[in-house]
Amino acid sequence: MKIEIWSDVKCPWCFVGKRRFEKALADFPHRDGVEVTWKSYQLDPDLPDHYEGTEQQYLAERKGIAPDQVRQMWQHLAQQAEGEGLAFDVDRIVVGNSFTAHRFLHLAKAHGRGDAAKEAVMSAHFEQGLDTSDVDVLVRLGVGIGLAEDEVRSTVAGDRFADDVRRDIEEARTIGVQGVPFFVIDRKYGISGAQPTGLFRQALDQAWQEAHPLVSLTPSGDGPACGPDGC
Amino acid sequence: MKIEIWSDVKCPWCFVGKRRFEKALADFPHRDGVEVTWKSYQLDPDLPDHYEGTEQQYLAERKGIAPDQVRQMWQHLAQQAEGEGLAFDVDRIVVGNSFTAHRFLHLAKAHGRGDAAKEAVMSAHFEQGLDTSDVDVLVRLGVGIGLAEDEVRSTVAGDRFADDVRRDIEEARTIGVQGVPFFVIDRKYGISGAQPTGLFRQALDQAWQEAHPLVSLTPSGDGPACGPDGC
């Protein structure tokens, strides 16, 4: 079973949703038969690499959300994140364009470290107040998950994997993704948003069951049974 | 090997099927490696807790089955049940919603007494003319299988395990169960209805064999042998 997850590294619900999904997957009996792929998405492709101001200022100024509402939103978010074991450090979040971080994720994916990279970048951004648009920060994160320093530096400083990022975003548009996180199972089922763990589990069960229908062991037909219309 | 059995406590073929399956399992050489789980199913979720009338009236009035046909059906059923050592007391069956009994079964399951509870409730319903929607009856049955009286009473009188019952029923829908009993082996094989014991045994053998293929002890390949096409 193939699960693709469109997500922006700077999207807080994507981090919360990652945890909820992971918990469902950890309990899923067929987890060894599940392949998870992270796909790039950008909530704000027009952001400069480094935005001068806090996340709260950014949302108020660029998105026109009232400061009070922004505060409330982040309080709620931080609480939900805490419930999933995440320690958001809201005031230290560094705002900036996520394109470079997405190219870094594609490099990691090419080395089979996509999930580790996603985790490292999101934690750096939301929990550690690190600037994940910065080349040195990404190099450090890359080395931390076992990538070669030189390759990370040249990739991040250059333009490599830019087409892969754009292709993911284009695919999201094709599929009809309007917000992230967005989970797609076998290109057949879509799950939008950071749903509760129980719902992810139900979706995994249902998708698996439909992809692996029960094999009848009674070729001669059903035995006597009771149904809605009688026995 | 994990076997899940969807069944309603007030479904006569489920009781007959339970016996036939148990006989097959008792003879199965790998029975110690088999885990059986009873799952809830409701044939008629809209029934009131206590239906005023006999089982035969219920089937005739609510399901629109002709009284003659109902009589014949129960004659056949009682005969089949007798063949499995069950003494159905058809005229004394108390008709009612099975939801509370299913919550009771989940409590027993949580204490490792799921099978004993299923047996007790079905026997009470089909053989002893007891009202298994009644709190006192379920308390008596629970104490009889070693559960704590207080916990059974508070559970049965309250709402505990309601979600578990609903989840089982929802799972049945996902899997495509249209009638009960329905047996599922390793979420891979399905057996519908109260099949003959021999067929259950065959299914157990086949599922076990497929889950435990022979390990070749000749890594260097097959030795010389004879087949249908020669030697």
Side-chain angles (χ1 to χ4, degrees):
Chain A
M1 199 154 77
K2 198 176 149 85
I3 302 181
E4 296 159 295
I5 311 171
W6 273 266
S7 144
D8 194 350
V9 290
K10 299 186 176 180
C11 144
W13 283 117
C14 294
F15 205 6
V16 173
K18 182 175 193 295
R19 277 290 175 286
R20 292 180 177 169
F21 169 75
E22 283 166 347
K23 274 184 203 156
L25 187 61
D27 265 355
F28 182 56
H30 311 288
R31 60 186 169 279
D32 293 339
V34 175
E35 184 198 332
V36 175
T37 309
W38 291 98
K39 308 283 267 185
S40 296
Y41 190 85
Q42 284 207 288
L43 288 170
D44 188 349
D46 300 328
L47 252 182
D49 261 5
H50 299 275
Y51 174 85
E52 293 303 324
T54 64
E55 173 83 20
Q56 312 213 11
Q57 284 166 336
Y58 159 70
L59 288 169
E61 283 166 22
R62 288 200 38 136
K63 301 285 173 192
I65 308 173
D68 256 14
Q69 205 187 327
V70 170
R71 239 190 319 278
Q72 274 174 22
M73 189 192 94
W74 273 100
Q75 258 170 12
H76 175 61
L77 252 167
Q79 220 171 26
Q80 294 289 310
E82 205 186 329
E84 302 300 332
L86 300 173
F88 278 15
D89 192 347
V90 179
D91 294 330
R92 289 175 61 217
I93 288 175
V94 180
V95 184
N97 195 299
S98 62
F99 196 83
T100 304
H102 278 297
R103 289 195 299 104
F104 166 75
L105 293 184
H106 273 279
L107 167 68
K109 188 157 115 179
H111 290 283
R113 302 293 289 148
D115 187 73
K118 184 86 186 169
E119 186 68 27
V121 171
M122 284 180 139
S123 172
H125 181 71
F126 287 108
E127 302 185 304
Q128 302 164 48
L130 294 171
D131 179 357
T132 56
S133 300
D134 183 84
V135 173
D136 289 328
V137 167
L138 289 172
V139 167
R140 212 156 66 235
L141 296 178
V143 170
I145 59 165
L147 302 182
E149 178 167 353
D150 286 356
E151 193 184 9
V152 178
R153 188 172 296 279
S154 64
T155 298
V156 167
D159 193 35
R160 223 177 136 200
F161 296 110
D163 284 346
D164 299 78
V165 176
R166 287 190 201 102
R167 198 176 306 124
D168 281 358
I169 294 170
E170 175 57 25
E171 260 185 324
R173 206 195 53 73
T174 306
I175 284 177
V177 174
Q178 310 229 342
V180 282
F182 196 92
F183 302 75
V184 173
I185 306 181
D186 286 339
R187 283 290 166 115
K188 193 171 168 194
Y189 305 102
I191 304 162
S192 177
Q195 299 282 0
T197 292
L199 195 141
F200 280 122
R201 173 56 197 273
Q202 241 179 304
L204 288 170
D205 284 337
Q206 186 181 336
W208 184 271
Q209 202 56 59
E210 294 191 16
H212 304 82
L214 293 179
V215 177
S216 171
L217 284 182
T218 54
S220 52
D222 295 347
C226 299
D229 298 328
C231 297
Chain B
M1 199 153 79
K2 198 176 148 86
I3 302 182
E4 295 160 296
I5 310 171
W6 273 266
S7 143
D8 194 350
V9 291
K10 299 186 177 182
C11 145
W13 282 118
C14 294
F15 203 8
V16 173
K18 183 175 192 294
R19 277 291 176 286
R20 292 181 178 170
F21 169 75
E22 283 166 347
K23 274 185 204 157
L25 188 61
D27 265 353
F28 183 56
H30 309 290
R31 61 185 169 279
D32 293 340
V34 174
E35 183 198 333
V36 175
T37 308
W38 291 97
K39 309 282 267 185
S40 297
Y41 191 86
Q42 285 205 287
L43 288 170
D44 188 349
D46 299 328
L47 252 183
D49 263 3
H50 299 275
Y51 174 85
E52 295 301 325
T54 65
E55 173 84 18
Q56 313 214 11
Q57 284 168 334
Y58 160 70
L59 289 169
E61 281 166 23
R62 288 201 36 136
K63 300 288 175 188
I65 308 174
D68 256 13
Q69 205 187 329
V70 170
R71 240 190 319 277
Q72 273 174 22
M73 188 190 95
W74 273 101
Q75 258 169 14
H76 175 60
L77 252 166
Q79 218 172 28
Q80 294 289 309
E82 204 186 330
E84 302 301 331
L86 299 172
F88 278 16
D89 192 347
V90 179
D91 294 331
R92 287 176 61 219
I93 287 176
V94 180
V95 183
N97 195 299
S98 62
F99 196 83
T100 304
H102 279 295
R103 290 195 300 102
F104 167 75
L105 294 184
H106 274 279
L107 168 69
K109 187 156 116 180
H111 290 284
R113 301 293 288 149
D115 188 73
K118 184 85 185 170
E119 186 66 29
V121 171
M122 284 180 138
S123 172
H125 180 70
F126 287 108
E127 301 185 306
Q128 301 163 49
L130 293 171
D131 178 359
T132 57
S133 300
D134 184 83
V135 173
D136 289 326
V137 167
L138 289 172
V139 167
R140 214 157 63 233
L141 296 178
V143 170
I145 59 164
L147 302 182
E149 179 167 352
D150 284 357
E151 194 185 8
V152 178
R153 188 173 295 281
S154 65
T155 299
V156 167
D159 193 35
R160 228 177 131 200
F161 296 109
D163 283 346
D164 299 78
V165 176
R166 287 189 202 104
R167 199 175 306 124
D168 282 357
I169 294 170
E170 174 59 24
E171 262 185 322
R173 203 195 55 75
T174 304
I175 286 177
V177 174
Q178 310 227 344
V180 284
F182 196 91
F183 302 75
V184 174
I185 306 181
D186 286 339
R187 282 289 166 118
K188 196 172 167 193
Y189 304 102
I191 304 162
S192 176
Q195 299 280 0
T197 291
L199 197 142
F200 279 122
R201 174 56 197 275
Q202 238 179 305
L204 287 169
D205 285 338
Q206 186 181 338
W208 185 272
Q209 201 53 59
E210 293 191 18
H212 303 81
L214 291 179
V215 177
S216 168
L217 287 180
T218 55
S220 52
D222 293 346
C226 299
D229 300 326
C231 296

